[in-house]
Amino acid sequence: MKKLRRVVVTGMGALTPIGNNLPDYWENLEKGVSGAAPITKFNAEKFKTRFACEIKNLDVSQYIDKKEIRKMDPVVHYALITADEAMKMSGLDLEKINKERVGVIWGSGIGGITTFQQEVLEFAKGDGTPRFNPFFVPKMIIDMTCGMISMKYGFMGPNFSVVSACATSTHALIDAFYYIRWGKAEIIVSGGSEATVNESGIGGFNALKALSERNDSPQTASRPFDADRDGFVLGEGAGCLILEEYEHAKARGAKIYAEIVGGGATADAYHMTAPHPEGLGARNVMKEALADAELSPDKIDYINVHGTSTPLGDIAELKAIQALFGEHAYRMNISSTKSMTGHLLGAAGAVEALACILAVYKDIVPPTINQFKLDPNIDPRLNLTPNVAQKRKVNYALSNTFGFGGHNASIVLKKFED
């Protein structure tokens, strides 16, 4: 049997509602900055929710040729922008690596919904004659994200997309981790992107009664674990990680930021949109991730929870943590960075994995902001890192993501040691 190989992180890229690059993203996480504000992308006056966590001050033409921009949906723009930042950070020399051993595994929960909406609206305005953009299908399909990244850099290794709603990019990272671990690739560009702040995105989630309607105070609307939470805040953006086989990274003198040591995937098998009330699937996926990493629960220092700010989800996840970790649950830090970024859906896992990597690298836990009044159903002994970042030694971090359809994914990140 082949020996499993170590997998490390050598590059990162972020495009988020609180920072258009990795340093700005981390700085605002540490400061506890909210990315929520009134929607600017369309007239939301008639919608129940009129705010979101949008990307701000982004000029896509600074990153992508103007002729190419119109051939892609924003979900692909975001992917390419973060991949570019991560590639530069990694220091990879495209002339010296074997591109047949470099892959791209990327995800999006919804994909090119902006393109789909635009094309359908244009068709509906007409006389029924089909006049569709020739790029309609390529712009819309989810796998175009990883396809375009591979074409830009010439990477010919494993290349596919993952879709599991809000667990998507965590599943993508786990798949990338396994491919390198098993010797199927040396390097994989992995992550997720999402671009759903539009009429159909906001309207669809409003119809589900999933979004906060706190229009009078957008910045305080995402409030995980708070007694007065009323739903999540929709976000957009992307996160990218360069995963690399340890010996390959070491041989080229790469800077290593963290190591991935385990992953887990389970299903609730319970409900289309609601979590299992006792967090059974969440407990099982964390248990699976720890077993894969060969860790006992007391080794985890920090959990970046799914923590969307929904009444049912937050409670179920904390129940799962207490059931699995027992007394150690009170010695860990727990936080939801969605309180700042909003919920990036399929991109959430990658963006939150970046938060975990930097927490491990810097020994700082980002906060859960907007903690005003703890839900009385939550054990007050849990350290939810309320409102202010906390310094502590973080050797191991766990990142949770859960998606509609009952999909659960957890990944374990470790402080790198040679």
Side-chain angles (χ1 to χ4, degrees):
M1 183 177 176
K2 276 186 176 181
K3 182 181 178 182
L4 295 178
R5 305 189 314 166
R6 293 173 68 185
V7 182
V8 296
V9 179
T10 57
M12 296 175 276
L15 179 60
T16 77
I18 60 170
N20 292 358
N21 54 58
L22 187 73
D24 289 350
Y25 168 56
W26 176 254
E27 180 182 351
N28 287 318
L29 276 184
E30 195 177 344
K31 288 180 178 177
V33 174
S34 170
I39 291 169
T40 64
K41 291 180 179 288
F42 65 93
N43 182 357
E45 183 180 350
K46 294 183 179 180
F47 287 74
K48 291 179 180 178
T49 297
R50 299 185 290 277
F51 61 94
C53 284
E54 297 178 327
I55 293 169
K56 301 161 186 69
N57 304 313
L58 178 67
D59 181 358
V60 177
S61 67
Q62 295 296 309
Y63 304 90
I64 303 170
D65 184 88
K66 288 181 180 180
K67 291 181 181 178
E68 298 300 313
I69 289 173
R70 60 190 179 89
K71 298 177 184 177
M72 303 175 231
D73 187 88
V75 75
V76 178
H77 299 159
Y78 298 168
L80 288 172
I81 290 168
T82 53
D84 182 63
E85 182 183 14
M87 284 293 294
K88 288 174 179 172
M89 185 178 186
S90 74
L92 282 166
D93 186 337
L94 295 177
E95 300 301 318
K96 293 182 178 179
I97 58 176
N98 179 358
K99 294 180 183 178
E100 293 181 7
R101 298 281 292 164
V102 184
V104 184
I105 301 177
W106 199 270
S108 176
I110 298 178
I113 190 172
T114 300
T115 294
F116 189 86
Q117 175 182 287
Q118 289 171 345
E119 292 296 318
V120 171
L121 288 174
E122 286 300 315
F123 175 72
K125 287 178 186 176
D127 61 3
T129 303
R131 297 186 182 90
F132 288 91
N133 188 310
F135 292 102
F136 175 27
V137 172
K139 287 173 70 174
M140 178 188 66
I141 54 179
I142 289 172
D143 62 290
M144 197 52 62
T145 50
C146 54
M148 294 304 293
I149 293 170
S150 71
M151 285 179 245
K152 178 175 180 178
Y153 299 103
F155 297 152
M156 294 181 282
N159 189 284
F160 60 89
S161 275
V162 176
V163 181
S164 52
C166 305
T168 291
S169 51
T170 303
H171 278 125
L173 292 173
I174 292 169
D175 278 358
F177 164 59
Y178 286 158
Y179 267 76
I180 297 173
R181 196 189 210 188
W182 296 333
K184 302 289 186 181
E186 305 297 338
I187 302 164
I188 293 186
V189 181
S190 187
S193 51
E194 205 75 87
T196 57
V197 181
N198 55 31
E199 292 89 338
S200 49
I202 294 291
F205 283 113
N206 265 159
L208 272 175
K209 301 188 182 302
L211 297 182
S212 169
E213 297 178 14
R214 203 177 296 276
N215 294 299
D216 58 339
S217 182
Q219 290 188 322
T220 67
S222 183
R223 48 175 74 187
F225 319 123
D226 190 83
D228 297 322
R229 67 193 182 282
D230 69 331
F232 72 81
V233 178
L234 191 61
E236 60 176 356
C240 180
L241 283 71
I242 307 296
L243 305 190
E244 190 168 352
E245 192 273 324
Y246 166 64
E247 294 294 345
H248 187 278
K250 184 179 177 181
R252 69 180 184 87
K255 185 171 183 178
I256 295 171
Y257 296 91
E259 183 172 358
I260 298 180
V261 292
T266 67
D268 276 5
Y270 174 73
H271 189 272
M272 287 176 67
T273 57
H276 188 283
E278 298 301 315
L280 181 60
R283 184 183 70 191
N284 287 345
V285 80
M286 290 186 286
K287 183 179 179 181
E288 179 72 21
L290 291 173
D292 191 39
E294 298 182 343
L295 288 177
S296 57
D298 63 352
K299 294 295 184 183
I300 299 297
D301 301 298
Y302 167 48
I303 301 180
N304 187 303
V305 290
H306 189 57
T308 57
S309 185
T310 57
L312 297 177
D314 293 1
I315 295 292
E317 186 171 10
L318 293 182
K319 282 183 178 179
I321 289 170
Q322 288 182 278
L324 178 62
F325 289 89
E327 286 298 311
H328 184 65
Y330 308 121
R331 295 189 284 272
M332 299 185 298
N333 273 75
I334 297 167
S335 77
S336 171
T337 49
K338 287 185 180 74
S339 59
M340 295 172 274
T341 65
H343 191 356
L344 274 67
L345 307 180
V351 168
E352 290 158 18
L354 295 176
C356 286
I357 290 164
L358 291 167
V360 164
Y361 188 70
K362 295 175 178 286
D363 288 322
I364 297 173
V365 176
T368 307
I369 67 166
N370 298 325
Q371 288 282 282
F372 304 108
K373 182 172 63 175
L374 186 67
D375 186 323
N377 296 303
I378 293 174
D379 190 332
R381 293 175 294 172
L382 293 169
N383 182 359
L384 302 175
T385 324
N387 300 314
V388 179
Q390 294 180 15
K391 293 184 178 181
R392 68 165 291 167
K393 188 76 169 177
V394 184
N395 290 315
Y396 290 94
L398 180 69
S399 181
N400 287 341
T401 47
F402 314 134
F404 284 174
H407 311 294
N408 307 307
S410 294
I411 193 165
V412 184
L413 300 128
K414 176 182 181 291
K415 187 181 292 292
F416 173 70
E417 295 174 338
D418 205 351

